Amino acid sequence: MKYILVTGGSRGIGRAICLKLAETGLPVIINYQSNTAAAEEVKGLIEAAGGQAELLPFDVAKQEQVEAALDAWEARHPEDYISVLVNNAGIRRDNVMFMMSDEEWHQVVDTSLNGFFYLTRRVLKHMMPRRRGGRIVNVTSLSGLKGMPGQTNYSAAKAALIGATKALAQEVAARSVTVNAVAPGFIETDMTKELPVEELKKLVPMQRFGRPEEVAAAVAFLASDEASYITGEVISINGGLYT
Ligand code: NAP
């Protein structure tokens, strides 16, 4: 049986992606770091709608945790494989570069970029054999496309994720695995709740922040059979903020 794995699925954009992808009827594996109550809530909503879900907590930035979690999942699911992977987990640790600590730099890069590497390398083993195919969708950011002041760490990690998306797409295309990215602008989640929303909204041609569901819709399309000939692409979801 095929499964969907979404990292950072307990809150925000990842939560919306879990709920949307569960509509496919495939079971959803909800990864998160520590917020079990929020992840349980997402699982409950999926089940209430007639879908299937399970929790798989691990820190994407810690290779040993990624390997241990996937080992345990595979042992419980000898006949199953992950056919859709959404690399969504990410954090912000904003600071101007001359004040930025080693920790702020490494935490952000470790989560968005190294997390993508550890998990995707591992999950490709599910997709590559016998040309089973698969879908990988990476959640990058407007910051990775245009660069944002105060976010050299985050912009670097998200820009690197775009480069990796394009390179990996070409590596695995012959195996019917597609690799794409979405690049949200300002989306209403915990990550943006402390920003000066009223001021920032004025910068957006649509005059509002996006909703997590608006990102999830694009991810669901890229994860679908309909998107079978799209790979190495980055879709901006930003209300016209940067085109
Ligand atoms: P959020 O509301 O802060 O949620 C973050 C999610 O990631 C939570 O589920 C959290 O789990 C999980 N997470 C964080 N670090 C993790 C780790 N090391 N291992 C596993 N899970 C981890 O963030 P969001 O706004 O939904 O952002 C989701 C993605 O979209 C991120 O990659 C972010 O960079 C990107 N993005 C967001 C925006 C925006 O405006 N919000 C714009 C562009 C891109 P816990 O609940 O356990 O803490």
Side-chain angles (χ1 to χ4, degrees), residues 8-13 31-35 58-60 88-91 111 139-141 154 158 184-187 189-192:
S10 50
R11 290 185 288 125
I13 293 170
N31 159 261
Y32 62 101
Q33 186 171 24
S34 56
N35 198 333
F58 58 87
D59 181 344
V60 296
N88 164 78
I91 55 168
T111 307
V139 181
T140 173
S141 171
Y154 186 84
K158 294 299 193 182
F186 293 115
I187 308 297
T189 69
D190 291 345
M191 186 179 271
T192 53

Side-chain angles (χ1 to χ4, degrees), residues 116-134:
F116 151 82
F117 171 61
Y118 299 140
L119 187 58
T120 306
R121 178 177 59 177
R122 178 63 193 250
V123 171
L124 278 170
K125 290 181 186 158
H126 290 230
M127 299 176 181
M128 304 281 275
R130 302 188 297 280
R131 294 178 188 270
R132 284 196 287 213

Side-chain angles (χ1 to χ4, degrees), residues 135-211:
R135 295 278 184 272
I136 298 168
V137 184
N138 299 320
V139 181
T140 173
S141 171
L142 169 69
S143 303
L145 290 169
K146 90 171 267 297
M148 294 284 260
Q151 291 195 321
T152 50
N153 49 358
Y154 186 84
S155 301
K158 294 299 193 182
L161 191 52
I162 291 172
T165 299
K166 293 182 177 188
L168 182 61
Q170 295 170 68
E171 273 182 32
V172 298
R175 300 281 185 139
S176 304
V177 178
T178 69
V179 190
N180 291 290
V182 292
F186 293 115
I187 308 297
E188 288 166 358
T189 69
D190 291 345
M191 186 179 271
T192 53
K193 69 182 179 199
E194 277 152 27
L195 296 179
V197 176
E198 290 311 314
E199 258 172 64
L200 292 171
K201 271 201 284 202
K202 293 181 196 145
L203 304 174
V204 183
M206 286 194 187
Q207 301 280 293
R208 65 174 179 87
F209 277 23
R211 295 184 300 277

